[in-house]
Amino acid sequence: MKKHVVLYKKLSPPLMARLQQQAEVTLIESLDAAGLAQLHDALPRAHGLLGASLKLDAALLDLAPHLQAIASVSVGVDNYDIDYLTERRILLSNTPDVLTETTADTGFALILTTARRVVELANIVRAGEWTRNVGPAHFGTDVHGKTLGIIGMGRIGEALAQRGHFGFGMPIIYHSHSPKPAVEQRFDAQYRSLAALLQEADFVCLTLPLTAETERLIGAEQFAQMRPETIFINISRGKVVDEAAMVDALRAGQIRAAGLDVFEREPLGSDSPLLQTHNVVATPHIGSATHETREAMAACAVDNLLAALAGERPQNLVNTDAWQG
Ligand code: NAP
């Protein structure tokens, strides 16, 4: 008998067909109130789940007594209670690697956009307010040759370092759990304590996961360590930053600007104080949002789920302790 999969993310027709060959599929089209009610109804029969952007807590998972595997269409796994999944031997997989380059592109887009004030100045043109050559009041700041500080030197951090070092001649400094000799050699990068990086970097970029340890890692004390020239970029998770402290730092001129793809609460409300500042570029969590990469992520998630439901170890197993072989 086919296993039952609950999808809470739409797949392309070829991927849907692939999944339906192997499993009976219930598709939840949208995670609105009606969709959540449909999810509640489907969970008691589910062997597998595939999707993203849904907090799957124990209360929800308790509705799914037959659940064997969850394939998250994301690399970040902060939406899952990993200990609880492991206790129940539910295999959680994610989609690393396939989104690394695209997410680093997004990071670099925010670096360039904030430094050169692209959105602000493009809006002047669009509003018909470009009436004379721009002067110092509208000048930006250089990117090339400036110091790029990366917090979290993993896959995406390294891809960002590659762009900065080879593309823009930027000295690279980084902070991570542990030094990375291969990265240091490849990009002539140097390890720093968190405080030293915050003081020294012209661009402070967050590329680390949201965990109990990193939640609110960057708050008032850390913004105070940055310089008025610092540009702050967050492409990791919103909750790594104390958003109210960031607003204060922007308003007080403690930092020059912020480029943000992620927020404490998403979607970001139009009444957010962040949007009342002129020096914030906010994007709607688009780190991996290209046609090619989202399809590659979905394909990776389908592979992971089908493997797990077939009793094989998924390639991107997150909670390895849940694997019994
Ligand atoms: P990764 O390869 O696991 O890299 C994360 C790095 O963060 C690791 O190298 C780790 O250092 C470091 N780290 C973890 N906790 C730390 C701490 N407390 N202090 C200092 N460094 C710490 O993950 P990735 O693939 O690069 O992805 C990183 C994160 O980006 C994801 O978890 C996700 O939240 C986010 N992301 C966002 C988007 C978006 O749409 N904006 C897209 C993709 C990913 P060690 O290696 O030294 O342990």
Side-chain angles (χ1 to χ4, degrees):
M1 209 175 68
K2 279 181 173 177
K3 298 263 170 86
H4 183 212
V5 167
V6 177
L7 266 185
Y8 50 100
K9 190 166 202 65
K10 220 171 166 186
L11 296 178
S12 65
L15 287 178
M16 188 66 167
R18 208 171 138 232
L19 193 60
Q20 280 173 326
Q21 253 177 11
Q22 312 278 335
E24 183 203 332
V25 179
T26 298
L27 172 64
I28 314 286
E29 297 252 6
S30 140
L31 289 172
D32 56 10
L36 286 175
Q38 207 190 341
L39 178 72
H40 277 231
D41 289 346
L43 282 174
R45 291 189 300 127
H47 298 103
L49 295 180
L50 188 148
S53 312
L54 173 65
K55 189 121 199 128
L56 277 172
D57 56 18
L60 211 49
L61 293 172
D62 282 345
L63 298 173
H66 309 297
L67 193 62
Q68 297 169 354
I70 301 174
S72 187
V73 192
S74 67
V75 67
V77 288
D78 40 284
N79 268 332
Y80 307 91
D81 181 340
I82 294 178
D83 289 341
Y84 179 76
L85 292 177
T86 303
E87 194 184 303
R88 278 192 51 191
R89 304 264 176 228
I90 296 169
L91 303 181
L92 174 67
S93 56
N94 65 349
T95 60
D97 304 315
V98 290
L99 49 56
T100 296
E101 298 296 331
T102 298
T103 308
D105 285 349
T106 303
F108 230 90
L110 287 172
I111 288 173
L112 288 166
T113 307
T114 46
R116 300 302 305 274
R117 301 170 61 179
V118 173
V119 175
E120 191 187 341
L121 299 180
N123 283 342
I124 288 179
V125 179
R126 198 172 272 275
E129 291 165 8
W130 181 30
T131 51
R132 61 178 74 122
N133 285 347
V134 299
H138 292 118
F139 288 173
T141 187
D142 281 337
V143 173
H144 65 272
K146 295 283 179 66
T147 298
L148 178 57
I150 297 175
I151 303 177
M153 188 53 90
R155 289 169 291 243
I156 296 169
E158 197 171 331
L160 201 64
Q162 181 184 356
R163 284 154 178 74
H165 176 71
F166 292 116
F168 290 80
M170 301 171 89
I172 309 291
I173 57 176
Y174 73 99
H175 176 73
S176 228
H177 272 141
S178 51
K180 314 279 179 208
V183 169
E184 292 184 12
Q185 202 176 5
R186 190 163 164 226
F187 308 120
D188 201 14
Q190 293 182 15
Y191 187 84
R192 293 283 186 276
S193 68
L194 181 61
L197 182 145
L198 297 174
Q199 284 156 24
E200 202 180 319
D202 295 303
F203 294 89
V204 171
C205 301
L206 297 189
T207 51
L208 74 189
L210 173 62
T211 62
E213 193 192 356
T214 64
E215 187 161 357
R216 294 199 165 213
L217 182 74
I218 307 296
E221 187 188 331
Q222 288 68 35
F223 283 112
Q225 289 168 334
M226 300 180 203
R227 291 173 289 114
E229 300 80 37
T230 306
I231 292 183
F232 180 72
I233 305 291
N234 188 4
I235 52 168
S236 65
R237 285 290 183 265
K239 287 184 179 153
V240 176
V241 180
D242 176 342
E243 213 162 86
M246 177 165 58
V247 170
D248 289 345
L250 284 158
R251 282 184 178 149
Q254 267 178 333
I255 58 174
R256 182 193 288 267
L260 309 169
D261 187 44
V262 287
F263 304 89
E264 265 180 18
R265 278 210 192 147
E266 296 178 8
L268 184 69
S270 59
D271 58 348
S272 165
L274 279 172
L275 301 178
Q276 260 107 63
T277 55
H278 73 282
N279 46 355
V280 166
V281 173
T283 49
H285 202 142
I286 55 163
S288 62
T290 65
H291 291 293
E292 302 90 331
T293 294
R294 284 292 168 84
E295 183 64 5
M297 290 166 68
C300 177
V302 168
D303 287 346
N304 282 326
L305 189 64
L306 290 178
L309 294 181
E312 294 158 19
R313 184 183 164 121
Q315 188 174 354
N316 308 113
L317 182 61
V318 173
N319 55 343
T320 49
D321 289 346
W323 177 249
Q324 288 178 309

